[in-house]
PDB file of all heavy atoms in Angstrom:
ATOM      1  N   ALA A 173      96.358 109.966 103.541  1.00 98.00           N
ATOM      2  CA  ALA A 173      97.657 109.343 103.319  1.00 98.00           C
ATOM      3  C   ALA A 173      98.667 110.438 102.980  1.00 98.00           C
ATOM      4  O   ALA A 173      98.322 111.405 102.285  1.00 98.00           O
ATOM      5  CB  ALA A 173      97.568 108.330 102.188  1.00 98.00           C
ATOM      6  N   ILE A 174      99.860 110.275 103.501  1.00 98.00           N
ATOM      7  CA  ILE A 174     100.933 111.233 103.214  1.00 98.00           C
ATOM      8  C   ILE A 174     101.552 110.869 101.873  1.00 98.00           C
ATOM      9  O   ILE A 174     101.790 109.689 101.591  1.00 98.00           O
ATOM     10  CB  ILE A 174     102.015 111.165 104.315  1.00 98.00           C
ATOM     11  CG1 ILE A 174     101.417 111.571 105.666  1.00 98.00           C
ATOM     12  CG2 ILE A 174     103.233 112.026 103.968  1.00 98.00           C
ATOM     13  CD1 ILE A 174     102.225 111.088 106.851  1.00 98.00           C
ATOM     14  N   MET A 175     101.809 111.889 101.063  1.00 98.00           N
ATOM     15  CA  MET A 175     102.483 111.660  99.786  1.00 98.00           C
ATOM     16  C   MET A 175     103.866 112.304  99.837  1.00 98.00           C
ATOM     17  O   MET A 175     104.011 113.472 100.210  1.00 98.00           O
ATOM     18  CB  MET A 175     101.653 112.266  98.650  1.00 98.00           C
ATOM     19  CG  MET A 175     100.248 111.684  98.587  1.00 98.00           C
ATOM     20  SD  MET A 175      99.287 112.327  97.191  1.00 98.00           S
ATOM     21  CE  MET A 175      99.977 111.381  95.830  1.00 98.00           C
ATOM     22  N   LEU A 176     104.871 111.526  99.485  1.00 98.00           N
ATOM     23  CA  LEU A 176     106.230 112.061  99.396  1.00 98.00           C
ATOM     24  C   LEU A 176     106.410 112.623  97.991  1.00 98.00           C
ATOM     25  O   LEU A 176     105.657 112.268  97.074  1.00 98.00           O
ATOM     26  CB  LEU A 176     107.255 110.951  99.665  1.00 98.00           C
ATOM     27  CG  LEU A 176     107.069 110.177 100.982  1.00 98.00           C
ATOM     28  CD1 LEU A 176     108.114 109.074 101.104  1.00 98.00           C
ATOM     29  CD2 LEU A 176     107.143 111.110 102.193  1.00 98.00           C
ATOM     30  N   ASN A 177     107.431 113.465  97.815  1.00 98.00           N
ATOM     31  CA  ASN A 177     107.699 113.954  96.462  1.00 98.00           C
ATOM     32  C   ASN A 177     108.739 113.065  95.773  1.00 98.00           C
ATOM     33  O   ASN A 177     109.186 112.064  96.342  1.00 98.00           O
ATOM     34  CB  ASN A 177     108.092 115.448  96.483  1.00 98.00           C
ATOM     35  CG  ASN A 177     109.423 115.681  97.191  1.00 98.00           C
ATOM     36  OD1 ASN A 177     110.211 114.748  97.387  1.00 98.00           O
ATOM     37  ND2 ASN A 177     109.686 116.923  97.573  1.00 98.00           N
ATOM     38  N   HIS A 178     109.116 113.456  94.561  1.00 97.00           N
ATOM     39  CA  HIS A 178     110.038 112.619  93.777  1.00 97.00           C
ATOM     40  C   HIS A 178     111.413 112.515  94.427  1.00 97.00           C
ATOM     41  O   HIS A 178     112.206 111.649  94.068  1.00 97.00           O
ATOM     42  CB  HIS A 178     110.155 113.177  92.356  1.00 97.00           C
ATOM     43  CG  HIS A 178     110.694 114.575  92.320  1.00 97.00           C
ATOM     44  ND1 HIS A 178     109.938 115.665  92.729  1.00 97.00           N
ATOM     45  CD2 HIS A 178     111.893 115.071  91.969  1.00 97.00           C
ATOM     46  CE1 HIS A 178     110.666 116.761  92.611  1.00 97.00           C
ATOM     47  NE2 HIS A 178     111.850 116.432  92.147  1.00 97.00           N
ATOM     48  N   LYS A 179     111.699 113.423  95.408  1.00 98.00           N
ATOM     49  CA  LYS A 179     112.988 113.348  96.105  1.00 98.00           C
ATOM     50  C   LYS A 179     112.876 112.550  97.411  1.00 98.00           C
ATOM     51  O   LYS A 179     113.841 112.457  98.165  1.00 98.00           O
ATOM     52  CB  LYS A 179     113.491 114.765  96.409  1.00 98.00           C
ATOM     53  CG  LYS A 179     113.861 115.553  95.157  1.00 98.00           C
ATOM     54  CD  LYS A 179     114.483 116.885  95.499  1.00 98.00           C
ATOM     55  CE  LYS A 179     113.421 117.933  95.616  1.00 98.00           C
ATOM     56  NZ  LYS A 179     113.913 119.297  95.811  1.00 98.00           N
ATOM     57  N   GLY A 180     111.697 112.032  97.692  1.00 98.00           N
ATOM     58  CA  GLY A 180     111.500 111.253  98.919  1.00 98.00           C
ATOM     59  C   GLY A 180     111.181 112.124 100.128  1.00 98.00           C
ATOM     60  O   GLY A 180     111.111 111.631 101.255  1.00 98.00           O
ATOM     61  N   GLU A 181     110.985 113.435  99.888  1.00 98.00           N
ATOM     62  CA  GLU A 181     110.622 114.335 100.993  1.00 98.00           C
ATOM     63  C   GLU A 181     109.099 114.365 101.143  1.00 98.00           C
ATOM     64  O   GLU A 181     108.374 114.059 100.191  1.00 98.00           O
ATOM     65  CB  GLU A 181     111.099 115.760 100.690  1.00 98.00           C
ATOM     66  CG  GLU A 181     112.571 115.884 100.449  1.00 98.00           C
ATOM     67  CD  GLU A 181     112.940 117.095  99.578  1.00 98.00           C
ATOM     68  OE1 GLU A 181     112.031 117.805  99.081  1.00 98.00           O
ATOM     69  OE2 GLU A 181     114.157 117.294  99.367  1.00 98.00           O
ATOM     70  N   VAL A 182     108.658 114.802 102.327  1.00 98.00           N
ATOM     71  CA  VAL A 182     107.219 114.907 102.548  1.00 98.00           C
ATOM     72  C   VAL A 182     106.662 116.053 101.706  1.00 98.00           C
ATOM     73  O   VAL A 182     107.222 117.164 101.718  1.00 98.00           O
ATOM     74  CB  VAL A 182     106.909 115.161 104.045  1.00 98.00           C
ATOM     75  CG1 VAL A 182     105.418 115.406 104.255  1.00 98.00           C
ATOM     76  CG2 VAL A 182     107.402 113.989 104.889  1.00 98.00           C
ATOM     77  N   ALA A 183     105.591 115.786 100.972  1.00 98.00           N
ATOM     78  CA  ALA A 183     104.942 116.852 100.199  1.00 98.00           C
ATOM     79  C   ALA A 183     103.665 117.279 100.927  1.00 98.00           C
ATOM     80  O   ALA A 183     103.625 118.318 101.573  1.00 98.00           O
ATOM     81  CB  ALA A 183     104.653 116.383  98.781  1.00 98.00           C
ATOM     82  N   GLU A 184     102.647 116.465 100.841  1.00 98.00           N
ATOM     83  CA  GLU A 184     101.353 116.822 101.439  1.00 98.00           C
ATOM     84  C   GLU A 184     100.525 115.554 101.537  1.00 98.00           C
ATOM     85  O   GLU A 184     101.013 114.460 101.254  1.00 98.00           O
ATOM     86  CB  GLU A 184     100.663 117.870 100.571  1.00 98.00           C
ATOM     87  CG  GLU A 184     100.455 117.420  99.130  1.00 98.00           C
ATOM     88  CD  GLU A 184      99.816 118.480  98.236  1.00 98.00           C
ATOM     89  OE1 GLU A 184      99.152 119.381  98.758  1.00 98.00           O
ATOM     90  OE2 GLU A 184      99.978 118.370  97.010  1.00 98.00           O
ATOM     91  N   CYS A 185      99.255 115.695 101.932  1.00 98.00           N
ATOM     92  CA  CYS A 185      98.366 114.538 101.921  1.00 98.00           C
ATOM     93  C   CYS A 185      97.524 114.589 100.647  1.00 98.00           C
ATOM     94  O   CYS A 185      97.695 115.461  99.816  1.00 98.00           O
ATOM     95  CB  CYS A 185      97.506 114.520 103.180  1.00 98.00           C
ATOM     96  SG  CYS A 185      98.461 113.982 104.624  1.00 98.00           S
ATOM     97  N   THR A 186      96.613 113.636 100.483  1.00 98.00           N
ATOM     98  CA  THR A 186      95.920 113.523  99.196  1.00 98.00           C
ATOM     99  C   THR A 186      94.997 114.708  98.910  1.00 98.00           C
ATOM    100  O   THR A 186      94.778 115.066  97.766  1.00 98.00           O
ATOM    101  CB  THR A 186      95.109 112.216  99.101  1.00 98.00           C
ATOM    102  OG1 THR A 186      94.012 112.279 100.027  1.00 98.00           O
ATOM    103  CG2 THR A 186      95.955 111.003  99.424  1.00 98.00           C
ATOM    104  N   GLY A 187      94.479 115.318  99.983  1.00 98.00           N
ATOM    105  CA  GLY A 187      93.614 116.492  99.787  1.00 98.00           C
ATOM    106  C   GLY A 187      93.832 117.546 100.853  1.00 98.00           C
ATOM    107  O   GLY A 187      92.987 118.421 101.050  1.00 98.00           O
ATOM    108  N   ASP A 188      94.955 117.456 101.542  1.00 98.00           N
ATOM    109  CA  ASP A 188      95.245 118.365 102.658  1.00 98.00           C
ATOM    110  C   ASP A 188      96.737 118.652 102.721  1.00 98.00           C
ATOM    111  O   ASP A 188      97.544 117.816 102.326  1.00 98.00           O
ATOM    112  CB  ASP A 188      94.857 117.716 104.003  1.00 98.00           C
ATOM    113  CG  ASP A 188      93.391 117.341 104.067  1.00 98.00           C
ATOM    114  OD1 ASP A 188      92.553 118.208 103.815  1.00 98.00           O
ATOM    115  OD2 ASP A 188      93.094 116.168 104.374  1.00 98.00           O
ATOM    116  N   ASN A 189      97.084 119.809 103.260  1.00 98.00           N
ATOM    117  CA  ASN A 189      98.493 120.097 103.574  1.00 98.00           C
ATOM    118  C   ASN A 189      98.821 119.559 104.970  1.00 98.00           C
ATOM    119  O   ASN A 189      97.927 119.291 105.757  1.00 98.00           O
ATOM    120  CB  ASN A 189      98.755 121.612 103.522  1.00 98.00           C
ATOM    121  CG  ASN A 189      98.679 122.141 102.106  1.00 98.00           C
ATOM    122  OD1 ASN A 189      97.776 122.904 101.771  1.00 98.00           O
ATOM    123  ND2 ASN A 189      99.620 121.742 101.251  1.00 98.00           N
ATOM    124  N   ILE A 190     100.116 119.409 105.229  1.00 99.00           N
ATOM    125  CA  ILE A 190     100.535 118.802 106.500  1.00 99.00           C
ATOM    126  C   ILE A 190     101.465 119.738 107.288  1.00 99.00           C
ATOM    127  O   ILE A 190     102.283 120.443 106.698  1.00 99.00           O
ATOM    128  CB  ILE A 190     101.187 117.414 106.241  1.00 99.00           C
ATOM    129  CG1 ILE A 190     101.439 116.670 107.555  1.00 99.00           C
ATOM    130  CG2 ILE A 190     102.482 117.530 105.432  1.00 99.00           C
ATOM    131  CD1 ILE A 190     101.670 115.167 107.370  1.00 99.00           C
ATOM    132  N   PHE A 191     101.290 119.739 108.592  1.00 99.00           N
ATOM    133  CA  PHE A 191     102.131 120.507 109.513  1.00 99.00           C
ATOM    134  C   PHE A 191     102.614 119.592 110.624  1.00 99.00           C
ATOM    135  O   PHE A 191     101.906 118.656 111.002  1.00 99.00           O
ATOM    136  CB  PHE A 191     101.317 121.606 110.211  1.00 99.00           C
ATOM    137  CG  PHE A 191     101.021 122.810 109.361  1.00 99.00           C
ATOM    138  CD1 PHE A 191      99.952 122.803 108.476  1.00 99.00           C
ATOM    139  CD2 PHE A 191     101.778 123.963 109.474  1.00 99.00           C
ATOM    140  CE1 PHE A 191      99.652 123.926 107.702  1.00 99.00           C
ATOM    141  CE2 PHE A 191     101.490 125.085 108.709  1.00 99.00           C
ATOM    142  CZ  PHE A 191     100.430 125.070 107.822  1.00 99.00           C
ATOM    143  N   ILE A 192     103.798 119.893 111.169  1.00 98.00           N
ATOM    144  CA  ILE A 192     104.202 119.248 112.426  1.00 98.00           C
ATOM    145  C   ILE A 192     104.606 120.333 113.421  1.00 98.00           C
ATOM    146  O   ILE A 192     104.891 121.478 113.030  1.00 98.00           O
ATOM    147  CB  ILE A 192     105.358 118.232 112.260  1.00 98.00           C
ATOM    148  CG1 ILE A 192     106.610 118.892 111.667  1.00 98.00           C
ATOM    149  CG2 ILE A 192     104.941 117.014 111.470  1.00 98.00           C
ATOM    150  CD1 ILE A 192     107.874 118.033 111.769  1.00 98.00           C
ATOM    151  N   VAL A 193     104.615 119.953 114.686  1.00 98.00           N
ATOM    152  CA  VAL A 193     105.167 120.814 115.733  1.00 98.00           C
ATOM    153  C   VAL A 193     106.345 120.058 116.322  1.00 98.00           C
ATOM    154  O   VAL A 193     106.230 118.881 116.658  1.00 98.00           O
ATOM    155  CB  VAL A 193     104.121 121.109 116.842  1.00 98.00           C
ATOM    156  CG1 VAL A 193     104.725 122.010 117.915  1.00 98.00           C
ATOM    157  CG2 VAL A 193     102.866 121.717 116.253  1.00 98.00           C
ATOM    158  N   LYS A 194     107.504 120.742 116.367  1.00 98.00           N
ATOM    159  CA  LYS A 194     108.707 120.122 116.946  1.00 98.00           C
ATOM    160  C   LYS A 194     109.397 121.162 117.824  1.00 98.00           C
ATOM    161  O   LYS A 194     109.728 122.246 117.340  1.00 98.00           O
ATOM    162  CB  LYS A 194     109.639 119.663 115.808  1.00 98.00           C
ATOM    163  CG  LYS A 194     110.904 118.968 116.282  1.00 98.00           C
ATOM    164  CD  LYS A 194     110.596 117.591 116.838  1.00 98.00           C
ATOM    165  CE  LYS A 194     111.851 116.863 117.282  1.00 98.00           C
ATOM    166  NZ  LYS A 194     111.560 115.596 117.956  1.00 98.00           N
ATOM    167  N   LYS A 195     109.547 120.832 119.085  1.00 98.00           N
ATOM    168  CA  LYS A 195     110.176 121.736 120.053  1.00 98.00           C
ATOM    169  C   LYS A 195     109.592 123.146 119.970  1.00 98.00           C
ATOM    170  O   LYS A 195     110.331 124.143 119.902  1.00 98.00           O
ATOM    171  CB  LYS A 195     111.691 121.783 119.832  1.00 98.00           C
ATOM    172  CG  LYS A 195     112.397 120.463 120.120  1.00 98.00           C
ATOM    173  CD  LYS A 195     113.902 120.661 120.236  1.00 98.00           C
ATOM    174  CE  LYS A 195     114.595 119.426 120.739  1.00 98.00           C
ATOM    175  NZ  LYS A 195     115.056 118.515 119.726  1.00 98.00           N
ATOM    176  N   GLY A 196     108.281 123.225 119.925  1.00 97.00           N
ATOM    177  CA  GLY A 196     107.590 124.522 119.933  1.00 97.00           C
ATOM    178  C   GLY A 196     107.556 125.234 118.591  1.00 97.00           C
ATOM    179  O   GLY A 196     106.976 126.312 118.463  1.00 97.00           O
ATOM    180  N   GLN A 197     108.178 124.641 117.567  1.00 98.00           N
ATOM    181  CA  GLN A 197     108.189 125.262 116.228  1.00 98.00           C
ATOM    182  C   GLN A 197     107.173 124.585 115.314  1.00 98.00           C
ATOM    183  O   GLN A 197     107.066 123.348 115.309  1.00 98.00           O
ATOM    184  CB  GLN A 197     109.559 125.075 115.585  1.00 98.00           C
ATOM    185  CG  GLN A 197     110.532 126.162 115.891  1.00 98.00           C
ATOM    186  CD  GLN A 197     111.482 126.388 114.698  1.00 98.00           C
ATOM    187  OE1 GLN A 197     111.401 125.706 113.685  1.00 98.00           O
ATOM    188  NE2 GLN A 197     112.361 127.338 114.834  1.00 98.00           N
ATOM    189  N   LEU A 198     106.481 125.403 114.540  1.00 98.00           N
ATOM    190  CA  LEU A 198     105.536 124.880 113.560  1.00 98.00           C
ATOM    191  C   LEU A 198     106.270 124.739 112.228  1.00 98.00           C
ATOM    192  O   LEU A 198     106.873 125.704 111.747  1.00 98.00           O
ATOM    193  CB  LEU A 198     104.396 125.893 113.440  1.00 98.00           C
ATOM    194  CG  LEU A 198     103.128 125.486 112.726  1.00 98.00           C
ATOM    195  CD1 LEU A 198     102.482 124.288 113.402  1.00 98.00           C
ATOM    196  CD2 LEU A 198     102.157 126.663 112.724  1.00 98.00           C
TER     197      LEU A 198
END
Side-chain angles (χ1 to χ4, degrees):
I174 297 160
M175 302 183 77
L176 306 178
N177 66 17
H178 61 287
K179 293 186 270 186
E181 302 155 355
V182 174
E184 57 182 337
C185 284
T186 68
D188 301 307
N189 291 113
I190 189 162
F191 284 83
I192 59 167
V193 180
K194 182 71 178 174
K195 294 195 171 91
Q197 271 213 359
L198 193 60

